[in-house]
Amino acid sequence: NVPTPIPRRNQNADQVRAALSRIEKMRASTQAILTYCGLTAEEKTSFPGSLKKCSAILKENLLALGKDHSYLFEDVEEKDEDGNPIIKLEDAWNKHLQYVDETVVQSAAAVEEDDDITAEDEPANKRQKTDEDTSTPPAETNRMVISARVLLTPGRKPISKLIPELKKKSAVLIKNGTVSSIRMEFGTAFEMTIYFKPLLVTIRAMNKEATATTTPIRDITALSGGIQWPSLHQGLNTGETTDDNTSHVSVLGVTGTRATLAPIIAKQLEYASAQATHVLRKCFAATVNGKTSSSESDFGIEIAETSALIKFMKIVRSTYHNGKWVDVED
């Protein structure tokens, strides 16, 4: 646990010292959290609020470092002719999709406002929360949805509200027989395909063969029900060749043969697809929790699921475009 030495030769010495001071505070807070986790339950009672204080210090210093040194990221970020960041293949797994429940955010804000509860009031407060929680069975509030009930299910046409929203997010509706899916492209790096029955997401490297030919692509696997499942190695099997007739690929600043790097990239894309699938299902779960199917019409369910899909596409575009995505208007 040796502190980071302060450099003596630097024109921006004050800024460097401030940054190192924040890093030192973060290191100390992290060490305190690890030490706290190693204490027994009885020992932890002697340090009330320690985790909250350490977390506040970490958050404060992380935000301050990000604000003070944001120019470092802007300088190294590659941009296109319009000044927009260029999306790379590694963004598919480096930028994590996250589902944010608005009700949880509002509850957290309410808790912060009510942070002055005394020790005498705490038991009553806990009993009140327990009574509220037991009013709704856990199975109803935490249901996992793995398939769309109505939206874009086999044989069902999309509602009029969906098409304009797809255009705003530069998404394309694909119909293959009775099966419908949605595809979103991210620059020339990768593409995302959304399936509805079951709810699944695939993220694959951009398939350049598909745009160059009309013949079936060998990376597509036909599954039962008419779903075409793209291979993990889509877009990674062909590319530029060197003088020795060896195909190479570059990712994360590393260049190597496709035989070496393609399996690693495919594994990362599989992880990114699983994470995206989890977020999609969380969005659709919000349309089911606390409701009974018998009290809802198909049209009402379809409207709710359309809103869930729009929310997911908004999360995707915001994440991969660094929050700078602007909807495409007609």
Side-chain angles (χ1 to χ4, degrees), residues 115-157:
D115 195 28
D116 297 330
I117 298 176
T118 61
E120 296 178 356
D121 297 334
E122 190 173 357
N125 185 54
K126 288 183 178 180
R127 285 196 298 271
Q128 183 179 0
K129 288 183 179 180
T130 303
D131 294 338
E132 291 176 356
D133 292 344
T134 54
S135 61
T136 304
E140 291 294 329
T141 57
N142 297 301
R143 292 177 61 179
M144 177 56 69
V145 175
I146 62 173
S147 178
R149 292 179 289 171
V150 177
L151 180 65
L152 295 179
T153 50
R156 192 173 185 91
K157 297 181 179 180

Side-chain angles (χ1 to χ4, degrees), residues 148-169:
R149 292 179 289 171
V150 177
L151 180 65
L152 295 179
T153 50
R156 192 173 185 91
K157 297 181 179 180
I159 61 176
S160 58
K161 176 185 176 182
L162 179 60
I163 303 302
E165 293 296 333
L166 292 179
K167 292 181 179 178
K168 290 180 180 179
K169 299 295 185 292

Side-chain angles (χ1 to χ4, degrees), residues 36-326:
Y36 182 86
C37 293
L39 299 178
T40 63
E42 184 177 356
E43 291 172 338
K44 289 179 180 179
T45 58
S46 302
F47 304 95
S50 297
L51 287 179
K52 186 175 181 179
K53 293 178 182 177
C54 291
S55 176
I57 293 173
L58 285 171
K59 182 178 179 180
E60 176 187 355
N61 287 279
L62 278 173
L63 292 176
L65 284 173
K67 182 179 180 180
D68 294 342
H69 301 277
S70 58
Y71 66 91
L72 295 175
F73 300 98
E74 295 177 358
D75 290 343
V76 300
E77 193 175 51
E78 295 185 23
K79 298 182 179 180
D80 57 18
E81 297 177 354
D82 298 327
N84 299 317
I86 297 177
I87 298 178
K88 300 179 180 179
L89 180 57
E90 53 264 32
D91 290 339
W93 59 84
N94 283 339
K95 297 180 178 179
H96 300 278
L97 299 180
Q98 293 186 350
Y99 174 82
V100 179
D101 190 346
E102 286 80 0
T103 58
V104 173
V105 174
Q106 294 173 1
S107 300
V111 170
E112 290 181 0
E113 294 177 359
D114 204 21
D115 195 28
D116 297 330
I117 298 176
T118 61
E120 296 178 356
D121 297 334
E122 190 173 357
N125 185 54
K126 288 183 178 180
R127 285 196 298 271
Q128 183 179 0
K129 288 183 179 180
T130 303
D131 294 338
E132 291 176 356
D133 292 344
T134 54
S135 61
T136 304
E140 291 294 329
T141 57
N142 297 301
R143 292 177 61 179
M144 177 56 69
V145 175
I146 62 173
S147 178
R149 292 179 289 171
V150 177
L151 180 65
L152 295 179
T153 50
R156 192 173 185 91
K157 297 181 179 180
I159 61 176
S160 58
K161 176 185 176 182
L162 179 60
I163 303 302
E165 293 296 333
L166 292 179
K167 292 181 179 178
K168 290 180 180 179
K169 299 295 185 292
S170 293
V172 180
L173 177 63
I174 301 175
K175 294 187 68 68
N176 181 27
T178 59
V179 178
S180 299
S181 60
I182 291 176
R183 186 176 67 209
M184 304 173 70
E185 296 183 352
F186 301 87
T188 58
F190 60 91
E191 63 184 27
M192 172 184 290
T193 306
I194 305 170
Y195 302 93
F196 297 91
K197 203 167 186 68
L199 286 169
L200 290 171
V201 178
T202 63
I203 300 178
R204 302 291 187 261
M206 191 68 77
N207 195 343
K208 298 180 177 62
E209 289 183 357
T211 58
T213 179
T214 57
T215 58
I217 306 302
R218 65 176 181 274
D219 283 341
I220 298 294
T221 302
L223 302 180
S224 59
I227 295 179
Q228 293 186 337
W229 191 259
S231 166
L232 282 169
H233 289 262
Q234 172 184 294
L236 302 177
N237 295 324
T238 60
E240 298 180 358
T241 57
T242 57
D243 295 337
D244 58 356
N245 202 28
T246 303
S247 181
H248 284 71
V249 61
S250 296
V251 65
L252 288 172
V254 178
T255 302
T257 62
R258 292 185 179 271
T260 302
L261 291 183
I264 300 175
I265 298 174
K267 199 66 178 178
Q268 295 287 357
L269 292 174
E270 184 179 23
Y271 164 76
S273 300
Q275 177 66 15
T277 297
H278 174 74
V279 175
L280 176 65
R281 292 181 177 182
K282 291 284 286 186
C283 291
F284 273 73
T287 67
V288 178
N289 292 338
K291 302 176 183 178
T292 56
S293 300
S294 59
S295 62
E296 295 182 275
S297 64
D298 285 352
F299 181 71
I301 295 174
E302 192 170 22
I303 290 293
E305 290 185 336
T306 300
S307 299
L309 174 62
I310 294 172
K311 179 177 181 178
F312 174 74
M313 292 191 297
K314 182 178 179 181
I315 293 173
V316 169
R317 286 300 185 189
S318 177
T319 300
Y320 291 133
H321 291 269
N322 298 330
K324 300 178 181 179
W325 171 260
V326 178

